Amino acid sequence: MTPSPRSQSWSVVASDLDGTLLDSGRGVTKRTAKAVERVRRNDGRFLMVTGRPVRWITQIVEQLGTTDPVIALNGAVVWDPVSGDVLSSRPLDLELVIDLVERLSEQDPDLCWACLLYTSDAADERSSGDPGGRRIIKKKKNMNKRSQKRRMKR
């Protein structure tokens, strides 16, 4: 016999944020908060897994009162919300990113893009107040009429 969902316990529950854990207003509902609390009360761990940088997660961590590590920046960073330390990081090589952006920009001059730089220097992370990334490159051009028409045809 399979136990009912209310009596089951899970050792780890992992959830994306946008469109999964958060409601349409990007908030945590009471029902969701209770479900997370039930996981923790049954000795489970609740992990948030997201493409967001850490600075966009801290309020959600506070709302849920979670102390478990957070997987952020599409898996590039594992962050401890209790200590504020980065437990693991796997950033892309900066030269590779710059080369990629330059090559893509040559292919499409109207390309809009943004990159976040994550540094492994803990002192720099703490002083910036953002262990999940800092915006280093941003390019945004207004598209001309020809480009707008070309994009509309795609």
Side-chain angles (χ1 to χ4, degrees):
M1 175 183 235
T2 304
S4 73
R6 291 187 186 273
S7 65
Q8 282 183 329
S9 65
W10 299 275
S11 58
V12 177
V13 174
S15 177
D16 183 29
L17 298 182
D18 300 300
T20 306
L21 185 73
L22 304 179
D23 63 14
S24 59
R26 295 190 176 152
V28 177
T29 65
K30 288 180 183 179
R31 180 178 180 203
T32 299
K34 286 180 183 178
V36 171
E37 177 56 34
R38 188 170 55 228
V39 169
R40 290 199 317 262
R41 194 173 49 244
N42 288 302
D43 298 322
R45 299 184 81 180
F46 178 75
L47 304 177
M48 289 187 281
V49 182
T50 182
R52 292 176 175 212
V54 171
R55 70 172 177 257
W56 295 357
I57 305 167
T58 55
Q59 183 178 6
I60 300 161
V61 166
E62 290 171 6
Q63 287 176 340
L64 292 173
T66 186
T67 57
D68 294 314
V70 175
I71 300 169
L73 285 170
N74 292 314
V77 171
V78 179
W79 175 68
D80 180 349
V82 176
S83 68
D85 291 337
V86 173
L87 303 175
S88 173
S89 68
R90 295 185 156 264
L92 295 174
D93 178 72
L94 182 58
E95 294 304 317
L96 174 68
V97 172
I98 290 170
D99 181 56
L100 177 64
V101 168
E102 287 174 351
R103 290 170 64 190
L104 288 171
S105 294
E106 288 171 6
Q107 295 293 316
D108 186 348
D110 294 319
L111 178 71
C112 298
W113 47 266
C115 296
L116 294 176
L117 172 65
Y118 165 78
T119 64
S120 59
D121 179 2
D124 182 39
E125 292 160 3
R126 288 189 186 107
S127 66
S128 73
D130 184 11
R134 290 181 289 135
R135 189 173 303 277
I136 57 162
I137 305 170
K138 185 172 183 180
K139 174 182 178 182
K140 190 167 185 175
K141 290 183 177 179
N142 291 330
M143 290 190 289
N144 60 34
K145 298 277 186 201
R146 188 183 73 182
S147 296
Q148 288 174 351
K149 287 179 185 175
R150 185 175 72 221
R151 287 191 187 268
M152 291 176 72
K153 289 180 184 177
R154 290 184 190 167

